[in-house]
Every structure is written in structure tokens, then in C-alpha cells.
Amino acid sequence: MPWIQRQITLSPQRRGFHLITRPILEGLPELAEIRTGLLHVFIMHTSASLTINENADPDVPIDLESSFSAIAPEDFPYRHTCEGPDDMPAHVKASMLGSSVTVPVGNGRLVLGTWQGIYLCEHRNHAGGRRLTLTLQGE
């Protein structure tokens, strides 16, 4: 059973939820050779996160951003403010959503539901490119 690990860097994104399933697949062409396995995707940042959610309706990522901004607003009296008003809310949102997702692999494809995709959840107003570590294991 091979283990393959690779890092990819996503282009900078505006604040919000962005589908990244395609760049993940493009960054790991060996996935096509795996009959049964797992793909673990880890984001190497503390102010962005990953999630799996609906990939069809463009209102879903807008509503997700609105919901999380209401839960962790910038005007809350945070103590950690040295990196700007969007930084601490970004850490809160990243802690709620998490830094990784694991997806089954079957017959060379990600085993996602019909309407599922992997999202980068960008919580900063002006972030740089985000680095992901992709770890694939299978046979």
C-alpha cells in the first residue's frame, strides 16, 4: 500500500468559502491509480479551515460565510487584536470548522456524495496563498 504525500499552494482567495476539489485532484494525479484508500487534506494555517459541503447551489457558500460571520463577529471584544480586526474571528472560525478533512477513495476517485465538494474556508479579508498537505494512502 503506497503512501503519497504532497504539498500544494492554493492561490489567494477573498474571504468566503471556495470549492477546491479540482485543485486537490490536479495536485495528486496518483489518486487515479488507487482502488481503495483514503485522502487526508490538511491546511497549514490557523486563520483558514477546510470543510465538506454542498457544491451545487452558489447560495450555500454565501450563507455559510454570513452564518460564521454572525457567530464570530469582528466587533466582539477580543484580546488578540494585533493582526487586525479580522484575525481573531478567523481563528475562532478555523477552530470551529477544523484544519483537515479525510475522504475515502474508490476506483481512482474521491468517494464524495453527489452534491459534496471540498471547501477552503478563507476567514481573513486579505490572505495570501494557502498551503495544503495532501496525504494519500491506498492500494
Side-chain angles (χ1 to χ4, degrees), residues 6-10 20 23-28 41 44 130-134:
R6 182 162 300 122
Q7 283 190 9
I8 64 170
T9 301
L10 301 172
I20 58 167
I24 289 170
L25 294 173
E26 291 169 355
L28 202 58
V41 183
M44 301 171 67
R130 298 299 193 172
R131 291 179 302 142
L132 302 179
T133 298
L134 311 176

Side-chain angles (χ1 to χ4, degrees), residues 48-99:
S49 54
L50 300 171
T51 193
I52 295 174
N53 216 302
E54 180 176 328
N55 66 1
D57 186 339
D59 288 336
V60 170
I62 294 167
D63 288 344
L64 286 169
E65 171 58 31
S66 297
S67 298
F68 276 92
S69 290
I71 292 167
E74 289 186 13
D75 62 355
F76 187 82
Y78 300 106
R79 293 178 62 154
H80 173 75
T81 59
C82 61
E83 294 181 53
D86 66 334
D87 186 50
M88 193 58 217
H91 293 309
V92 172
K93 295 170 192 176
S95 289
M96 290 190 310
L97 287 165
S99 58

